[in-house]
Amino acid sequence: AMPASFFEQRPHMKGAEEQGHFAMCTSVPEVRQWLTESLASVFADVPDLGGVFTITASENLTNCPSRGGHQQCPRCKERPIPEIIAEVNTAIEAGVHRGNPDARVLVWDWAWRNEWAEPIIQALPDRVSLMSVSEWDLPIQRGGVSTAVGEYSISSVGPGPRAQAHWALARQRGLPTMAKVQVNCTWELSAVPYLPAMDLVAQHMANLAQAGVDGLMLSWTLGGYPSPNLQLASLFFGDSPPATPEEALTRLAVDRYGPKAAGHARRAWSAFSAGFAEFPYHGSTVYNAPMQYGPMNLLHPEPTGFHATMVGFPYDDLDRWRSVYPADVFGRQFEKVADGWRKGLDGFREALTEATEPAHRANLTEDLRVAEAAWIHFASVANQIRFTLARNTLASATLPAEQRAVHRATMKAACEDEIELAKRLFHLTRQDSRIGFEASNHYYYLPLDLVEKVIDCTDILEHRLPD
């Protein structure tokens, strides 16, 4: 999209508008020619560039219907949206393959309406692959609450019905299929390099191998570190027949930790996975709740009035954190997640006593550190929910003295536990600089932020707990 001034000499290209910018209308042949020639130039000049993936129903204004405003465009309002989207992808594919016939073009169906899929796929050029988010539209139930997954979930094992339907249409059309997945970590928790919920990852990979997908996109801005998770994913593709989850998990555990420690590690992975399967997933929750910050997020004995921001500071905005989940259910689900991870840590510690080779002990030490950091984050979220819910209850109701004492004790216990969690995470961050970092946000917190949390909680305990 370009500002209005761009179109003063090009009024015939001006398309849909959003926030003072206008799409270059792809219903104009000159715009499609520009797309094609630009990509042909890039791929000719950079011959080792592997390919592109396209997002044509976007968070940003690109083509006129990409944000739903095509009715503003005098050309596009007369055309079916699937025809426009297929045409954009065709122009892109033509340019990429003119510049480099061996480059790949992945057409991503992100945010396409389901009714668009068939006409778009039918109109796509032959030399593209169709990519779908594997877990999209997967129905789940957590804590008795029914909802569905959007994307960015390891706790929910795909593929879901949307991806399977779109892949089936692509195969009928003769196009290769791709699954966009998260293998290392997701917005469920992105402040660690990988989440060793290996049983969940293994089952998802086995399901995709069985579904016959032709390739994977393994991460987004988060989750790009070399990891045992990526090693696990590789075991399901390339072998004939592909490994079963049990075979792959055992092979990885023996390779990474040694035969004596492998059984303990397998039990740890299963505990992590069982706990993580209780994660109270919702699109609003993964972006607004305090998972990314964990103990860094300060406790507030009085409401701040601030709103949680998307993958930004969560403050004390419990209503936005919990989304469709009742507050008490939301808290219990995080307690279940944290409990599973705590049990898994015991398994890793037992594995350390059995590992004899230096390389195996080094791997266990690293993976234990990452898993402990993840547990601290989940346990801290549970504390923050308990603290805030108790605070809100005290402020919003006239309660008998005994009940007030119970809620005050809840706040006190949460403060005390947060101090211990912040202290422990401080030491882990000093040992591993990946903890607390994510590529698009950089550092959610530094060690000194955890010192501030200890000071904050100490001050609450000494001066600011409600009577």
Side-chain angles (χ1 to χ4, degrees):
M2 299 296 289
S5 59
F6 177 84
F7 299 97
E8 290 175 1
Q9 303 300 318
R10 308 171 182 88
H12 61 293
M13 294 184 188
K14 192 175 182 180
E17 184 268 344
E18 185 174 273
Q19 296 183 1
H21 282 66
F22 298 81
M24 295 170 64
C25 177
T26 58
S27 291
V28 178
E30 188 179 350
V31 173
R32 297 198 302 277
Q33 180 184 357
W34 167 77
L35 269 176
T36 297
E37 291 181 355
S38 296
L39 284 159
S41 175
V42 169
F43 276 83
D45 289 347
V46 191
D48 289 335
L49 189 59
V52 298
F53 64 87
T54 68
I55 309 177
T56 41
S58 179
E59 291 176 328
N60 302 295
L61 182 61
T62 54
N63 59 76
C64 290
S66 66
R67 297 281 292 159
H70 66 290
Q71 290 296 324
Q72 304 172 19
C73 176
R75 293 161 296 274
C76 292
K77 70 179 183 181
E78 306 295 337
R79 303 183 63 196
I81 290 175
E83 182 178 276
I84 299 170
I85 290 177
E87 193 173 66
V88 173
N89 281 292
T90 298
I92 290 170
E93 181 274 336
V96 171
H97 287 141
R98 185 189 302 175
N100 181 355
D102 296 325
R104 303 183 68 183
V105 177
L106 313 181
V107 175
W108 195 2
D109 63 6
W110 193 86
W112 289 0
R113 294 181 185 174
N114 287 339
E115 63 267 24
W116 298 350
E118 184 170 10
I120 293 174
I121 291 168
Q122 287 298 322
L124 289 175
D126 292 338
R127 297 188 58 204
V128 303
S129 300
L130 181 80
M131 184 163 71
S132 293
V133 175
S134 176
E135 63 269 27
W136 200 306
D137 276 356
L138 184 72
I140 61 170
Q141 188 175 91
R142 305 278 163 86
V145 177
S146 296
T147 184
V149 174
E151 56 184 334
Y152 296 120
S153 181
I154 289 176
S155 70
S156 309
V157 176
R162 183 183 188 272
Q164 294 184 73
H166 291 191
W167 290 333
L169 292 168
R171 291 190 189 99
Q172 292 169 14
R173 172 68 177 70
L175 301 177
T177 55
M178 300 280 293
K180 188 270 186 185
V181 292
Q182 298 290 143
V183 173
N184 272 353
C185 59
T186 74
W187 294 124
E188 293 162 319
L189 177 57
S190 66
V192 293
Y194 48 90
L195 291 164
M198 298 303 203
D199 293 38
L200 298 175
V201 173
Q203 190 59 59
H204 198 163
M205 293 301 102
N207 293 351
L208 291 175
Q210 186 175 6
V213 296
D214 298 294
L216 306 174
M217 177 181 176
L218 288 168
S219 68
W220 191 236
T221 62
L222 61 164
Y225 290 97
S227 71
N229 300 48
L230 294 176
Q231 186 179 352
L232 177 63
S234 73
L235 298 178
F236 292 90
F237 297 91
D239 289 346
S240 183
T244 66
E246 186 63 31
E247 290 169 344
L249 289 164
T250 299
R251 192 187 314 175
L252 177 63
V254 171
D255 178 67
R256 190 161 178 83
Y257 308 126
K260 287 187 175 181
H264 296 298
R266 285 283 291 106
R267 286 189 288 276
W269 289 344
S270 295
F272 297 147
S273 298
F276 205 38
E278 297 289 347
F279 185 92
Y281 182 97
H282 187 270
S284 178
T285 294
V286 296
Y287 289 128
N288 292 300
M291 292 85 63
Q292 323 309 335
Y293 292 86
M296 174 271 190
N297 193 41
L298 302 180
L299 297 179
H300 300 278
E302 296 180 356
T304 66
F306 295 145
H307 291 304
T309 57
M310 182 176 174
V311 200
F313 295 120
Y315 300 109
D316 54 343
D317 193 359
L318 177 57
D319 285 343
R320 191 163 294 191
W321 299 351
R322 64 183 179 84
S323 185
V324 298
Y325 296 92
D328 57 340
V329 172
F330 192 59
R332 284 198 298 272
Q333 289 305 115
F334 269 102
E335 290 169 4
K336 292 176 185 177
V337 175
D339 188 55
W341 283 77
R342 180 185 54 76
K343 292 175 181 175
L345 295 177
D346 292 338
F348 264 177
R349 292 183 183 111
E350 290 172 358
L352 260 175
T353 67
E354 299 289 344
T356 55
E357 296 294 328
H360 295 153
R361 290 188 62 81
N363 288 338
L364 270 166
T365 300
E366 175 183 339
D367 293 351
L368 174 59
R369 183 189 303 124
V370 169
E372 185 177 3
W375 166 72
I376 288 171
H377 277 249
F378 295 134
S380 176
V381 174
N383 281 337
Q384 293 176 52
I385 295 167
R386 282 192 293 262
F387 180 95
T388 307
L389 183 58
R391 180 203 72 185
N392 292 349
T393 303
L394 281 172
S396 65
T398 303
L399 299 174
E402 314 85 69
Q403 292 184 30
R404 291 188 63 82
V406 169
H407 292 301
R408 187 178 189 277
T410 297
M411 295 174 69
K412 181 175 183 290
C415 269
E416 292 170 341
D417 198 42
E418 284 293 274
I419 288 173
E420 297 308 311
L421 294 178
K423 287 181 177 180
R424 180 58 187 152
L425 188 59
F426 174 89
H427 292 292
L428 295 178
T429 60
R430 297 296 298 272
Q431 296 166 20
D432 188 337
S433 61
R434 298 173 302 174
I435 295 170
F437 183 87
E438 188 275 321
S440 63
N441 290 277
H442 294 193
Y443 277 100
Y444 291 117
Y445 53 82
L446 297 171
L448 192 60
D449 295 309
L450 300 169
V451 175
E452 182 186 16
K453 178 60 173 285
V454 173
I455 295 170
D456 169 60
C457 288
T458 302
D459 186 58
I460 291 172
L461 290 171
E462 294 179 353
H463 305 295
R464 294 190 289 153
L465 273 178
D467 293 334

